[in-house]
Amino acid sequence: MTVVGSKLGASYRGVRVVFCSMIFSVIGRMTSGILGVALFAAAGISAFAQDDAAFRYNRLLGRGINLGNALDAPREGAWGVTLKADYFRLIRKAGFNSVRIPIRWSTHASTAAPYDIETGFFQRVDWAIGQALSRNLAAVINIHHYVEMNQDPVQNLPRLVELWKQIALRYRNQPKSLMFELLNEPHDQLDDERWQEVFPTLLKAIRDSNPDRIILIGPAYLNTVDRLDKIQLPPQDRRIIGTFHYYKPLQFTHQGAFWLNDSAPWRGTRWVGTPQERKELRNDFERAATWSKQNHRPLYLGEFGAYREANMEDRALWTRAVAREAEKWGFSWSYWEFCSEFGAYDAAARQWRQPLLNALLDKE
């Protein structure tokens, strides 16, 4: 999920309403640093798995944060966030291991074959990747907010394939600590069955130039944890990390969110860590861990966070609970997000929101 600022257009609000309806449908159905080997042993994953490249790079991702609402906006700055070199320095200094950089390539590429990506935009992404890697931060780049692909997968698949071919070719010589995520939150017409048909084509487009690159793939229905068991990853490709997003309970994490028409009555929803609340969290992550073990795949919690209108004490409590539950099962994670509506950092005040930072990095 991507959350945006007040300048967001009505078209994107529609996408977020789709998110709301979809996530409710699936809900009803269903260290500093590098994570240690002990975490994976605790999750019941074999010693052999610990030697796999995907598991090693998943530990490298460790604790991360999303640089959201910047390069994933229609134009950088349109949603109130423009990336700065100092942001990468602050993230590393605070103790994070990685960044996830959401990128909206589709608004920076031609709409006719060969779908060339703008040179200037490529250079801006080059800069962001360089900022991360030069500070010893692992980095995940993805294709974010390709709205048309979700609406019409058949028509837009050739373009998406060509976008990935260009991206993969440009970054083929980058260190392996740069990882690719195929597509953020497939949804709408890109359902379980269609996504299962589509993603192998994208995977091949990357593998032609990056045979050893770590690639992250999540399920359809907005990468919700409930749909992990619906995706079948190719057993012969062991350089894949599974990914999912977590925003439960939505009434808490999205209370008052302006892009959701029905979220106003949710204002004041609390999350205080009752036994039932923690049980629901634990059950969701235990189910994810079962999928990880059965499929011999590491997992990356690519997004989780609570919107700014929630009580800060509750936000910090929920954030801490989710991060620690992820680490208990050996998942790497990336908080949504750095400095916007869910932000752990206050860009205007130029300081971390300490309760959230402490919760993320397990400090008192």
Side-chain angles (χ1 to χ4, degrees), residues 51-346:
D51 294 330
D52 284 356
F55 283 88
R56 287 190 282 108
Y57 281 99
N58 198 44
R59 292 195 293 274
L60 189 65
L61 287 170
R63 296 169 167 177
I65 197 162
N66 278 268
L67 288 164
N69 294 357
L71 297 179
D72 52 323
R75 296 286 168 181
E76 186 180 9
W79 292 348
V81 180
T82 299
L83 296 182
K84 300 177 181 179
D86 200 45
Y87 291 171
F88 296 87
R89 181 190 66 81
L90 288 165
I91 289 167
R92 184 57 184 167
K93 183 179 179 181
F96 291 97
N97 309 112
S98 63
V99 290
R100 180 173 180 256
I101 309 174
I103 305 172
R104 187 189 288 233
W105 299 92
S106 57
T107 57
H108 298 276
S110 62
T111 56
Y115 310 109
D116 290 333
I117 296 170
E118 297 168 3
T119 300
F121 188 69
F122 250 141
Q123 291 171 344
R124 183 61 173 162
V125 175
D126 295 347
W127 173 87
I129 291 171
Q131 289 295 319
L133 300 185
S134 67
R135 289 173 170 79
N136 201 29
L137 288 165
V140 175
I141 62 170
N142 70 358
I143 288 184
H144 214 90
H145 292 326
Y146 194 168
V147 177
E148 298 85 353
M149 182 64 193
N150 292 305
Q151 294 171 341
D152 190 345
V154 174
Q155 183 69 27
N156 286 278
L157 179 58
R159 186 172 186 241
L160 181 56
V161 168
E162 292 305 315
L163 292 181
W164 263 122
K165 285 182 178 179
Q166 293 175 69
I167 297 164
L169 188 63
R170 188 175 185 95
Y171 299 123
R172 67 191 183 282
N173 294 323
Q174 287 283 352
K176 295 300 188 292
S177 53
L178 174 65
M179 308 176 211
F180 299 161
E181 181 184 342
L182 290 185
L183 186 67
N184 181 70
E185 297 185 347
H187 63 278
D188 199 358
Q189 297 305 306
L190 202 52
D191 58 14
D192 291 324
E193 183 177 0
R194 179 71 69 179
W195 179 230
Q196 185 65 44
E197 295 172 353
V198 162
F199 83 74
T201 304
L202 304 179
L203 187 61
K204 183 181 184 303
I206 296 172
R207 286 287 179 242
D208 286 345
S209 58
N210 289 255
D212 298 324
R213 182 76 55 188
I214 297 296
I215 298 175
L216 288 75
I217 307 175
Y221 287 86
L222 299 149
N223 294 152
T224 52
V225 64
D226 309 83
R227 311 302 286 193
L228 270 172
D229 62 347
K230 301 299 182 182
I231 191 167
Q232 303 296 319
L233 300 178
Q236 73 279 6
D237 193 332
R238 304 314 303 175
R239 290 182 173 262
I240 294 174
I241 294 174
T243 183
F244 70 99
H245 296 174
Y246 196 79
Y247 291 100
K248 295 184 183 180
L250 197 67
Q251 295 95 330
F252 169 70
T253 65
H254 282 65
Q255 57 185 286
F258 65 87
W259 61 94
L260 296 180
N261 292 331
D262 299 324
S263 67
W266 302 345
R267 286 190 174 97
T269 301
R270 304 291 307 277
W271 197 93
V272 296
T274 66
Q276 181 60 33
E277 287 171 334
R278 291 184 181 276
K279 179 181 179 182
E280 291 171 359
L281 170 62
R282 184 171 60 251
N283 288 347
D284 284 335
F285 279 56
E286 186 171 6
R287 185 164 65 252
T290 298
W291 180 91
S292 174
K293 182 178 180 180
Q294 290 175 345
N295 291 275
H296 189 53
R297 304 282 187 184
L299 273 173
Y300 173 66
L301 173 56
E303 293 185 18
F304 67 105
Y307 184 56
R308 59 180 173 81
E309 289 207 20
N311 173 280
M312 177 56 81
E313 183 178 349
D314 293 358
R315 289 175 69 192
L317 186 65
W318 180 88
T319 298
R320 186 182 293 271
V322 174
R324 299 296 83 74
E325 191 69 25
E327 291 171 358
K328 182 180 80 174
W329 295 107
F331 308 159
S332 59
W333 52 256
S334 190
Y335 177 75
W336 186 269
E337 34 64 28
F338 177 63
C339 67
S340 190
E341 302 287 355
F342 287 50
Y345 182 78
D346 185 335

